[in-house]
Amino acid sequence: DADGHADTLRASLQRVGPDAAAFVLVDAGDHPRARRLQRLRDAWVTAGDVVVLGPCPHRDPCPALVRERDWCHDVLEKRLPPRLAAFARAVGRDADVMAASWLVGARADGDVRAGDGVVVIGEPQRDKGRVRLPVCGPAGLRFVQALKRHRGAFDTVAALPRGARLPPLAADGDTAHVDDAAGLSLPGPDDGAP
């Protein structure tokens, strides 16, 4: 129950005092747990006493909750020792990557603000002379697209990692078309998700 979790966290924040105003929640990145965390995020945003700092670049309702098949998660590399990697493969787990869902939040009464722009939420999709990259922002789940003939923009979009933040983009329907890489920049080591 997202509302129950939101109340529990709100009470915990009140108990620990203003010195522990920010928090990080991490859960497994499977479909049910990720959607539970997204519902919790929406409960905080609605209540107005917690500002979600990441991974969301907006304070609108979570667009990944609109369709049951969607969920917000990240993919993390894991370098297991050889014996543990062999065990992971033997039990049907991926030995190289794992999925996780996470939220970073802070008290709304502190000196914080939600981000803006869009955040990359998936891997580049290449087909027929274009690359499309799924992003999440105030307008919902959308794509950033670049054509191969616009080589700089194409290469930049194709290289953007999951979690990278981009400035607000104008979209035609569900797709923002990028013809010039000048408006996009590859994030540095401190520019991705928190």
Side-chain angles (χ1 to χ4, degrees), residues 9 13 20-25 44 50-51 103-107:
L9 182 66
L13 284 174
F23 56 89
V24 178
L25 294 179
W44 292 333
V50 173
V51 176
L103 286 174
V104 177
R107 295 175 197 268

Side-chain angles (χ1 to χ4, degrees), residues 134-147:
V135 297
C136 177
L141 300 177
R142 301 178 3 209
F143 288 92
V144 172
Q145 174 178 291
L147 301 178

Side-chain angles (χ1 to χ4, degrees), residues 77-110:
E77 283 187 33
K78 59 181 179 181
R79 292 189 175 87
L80 297 176
R83 287 181 61 194
L84 198 50
F87 175 77
R89 284 190 289 275
V91 297
R93 305 304 265 175
D94 193 316
D96 300 316
V97 297
M98 65 182 234
S101 294
W102 56 275
L103 286 174
V104 177
R107 295 175 197 268
D109 59 4

Side-chain angles (χ1 to χ4, degrees), residues 55 57-58 63-64 67 69-75 117-127 130-146 156-167 169 171 174-176 178 184:
H58 59 86
R67 298 183 307 191
R69 69 183 190 196
D70 294 330
W71 74 98
C72 185
H73 64 286
D74 210 343
V75 178
V118 298
V119 64
V120 176
I121 61 167
E123 307 304 320
Q125 303 166 5
R126 297 172 190 243
D127 67 322
R130 70 178 182 177
V131 62
R132 288 167 48 94
L133 194 62
V135 297
C136 177
L141 300 177
R142 301 178 3 209
F143 288 92
V144 172
Q145 174 178 291
T156 299
V157 169
L160 286 168
R162 184 188 290 261
R165 292 184 182 273
L166 304 176
L169 299 168
D174 71 344
T175 302
V178 181
L184 298 175

Side-chain angles (χ1 to χ4, degrees), residues 16-70:
V16 297
D19 293 339
F23 56 89
V24 178
L25 294 179
V26 180
D27 205 342
D30 61 25
H31 184 266
R33 289 187 179 113
R35 289 182 66 83
R36 180 179 65 194
L37 206 56
Q38 290 160 230
R39 288 190 301 273
L40 177 57
R41 174 223 178 260
D42 277 5
W44 292 333
V45 169
T46 300
D49 52 354
V50 173
V51 176
V52 177
L53 303 175
C56 313
H58 59 86
R59 296 194 65 180
D60 294 333
C62 179
L65 287 174
V66 173
R67 298 183 307 191
E68 181 59 35
R69 69 183 190 196
D70 294 330

